[in-house]
């Protein structure tokens, strides 16, 4: 367990933090998946922008969690990454 995990574990004991963390979890998951998929392919944000038609600064904002993508944007990103987008309720 690294320092971030320990910090998060401690913060999750606070009910207000825990509630906000759970509410924001889907957004963090999108950020994580986007960064991981792009990195695994060795692709820069600029290359992904070229493949998707989404401006590089907008991809940066998505990866930093500054904005939330629409389903159309997610579909374009998936296609640009050579991936298939799936949405599940579990």
């Amino acid at each position: 367990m690294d320092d971030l995990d320990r910090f998060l574990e401690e913060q999750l004991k606070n009910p207000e933090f825990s509630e906000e963390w759970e509410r924001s979890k889907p957004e963090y998951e999108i950020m994580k998946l986007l960064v991981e998929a792009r990195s695994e392919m060795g692709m820069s944000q600029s290359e992904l922008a070229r493949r998707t038609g989404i401006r590089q600064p907008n991809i940066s904002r998505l990866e930093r969690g500054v904005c939330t993508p629409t389903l159309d944007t997610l579909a374009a990103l998936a296609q640009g990454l050579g991936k298939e987008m799936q949405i599940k309720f579990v």
Side-chain angles (χ1 to χ4, degrees):
M1 183 180 285
D2 63 15
D3 290 341
L4 180 59
D5 291 331
R6 281 190 283 280
F7 176 78
L8 181 57
E9 184 178 303
E10 187 63 32
Q11 294 302 307
L12 287 171
K13 293 176 184 175
N14 176 331
E16 290 176 17
F17 180 90
S18 182
E19 183 179 319
E20 182 63 19
W21 177 258
E22 286 301 314
R23 187 196 66 72
S24 301
K25 207 172 190 178
E27 294 168 11
Y28 291 121
E29 191 65 24
I30 289 169
M31 292 165 32
K32 179 181 157 200
L33 290 170
L34 178 56
V35 171
E36 285 176 355
R38 189 177 57 73
S39 295
E40 285 173 4
M41 296 188 68
M43 188 183 300
S44 68
Q45 290 179 350
S46 296
E47 175 63 16
L48 184 56
R50 187 187 66 72
R51 290 182 180 207
T52 61
I54 298 169
R55 295 178 52 237
Q56 181 275 327
N58 292 340
I59 291 172
S60 176
R61 284 194 234 359
L62 291 169
E63 289 187 358
R64 289 181 289 129
V66 175
C67 60
T68 305
T70 64
L71 289 176
D72 287 342
T73 298
L74 286 175
L77 290 166
Q79 184 176 14
L81 290 163
K83 306 281 186 184
E84 180 181 309
M85 183 175 77
Q86 294 182 359
I87 299 173
K88 297 180 181 183
F89 290 97
V90 291

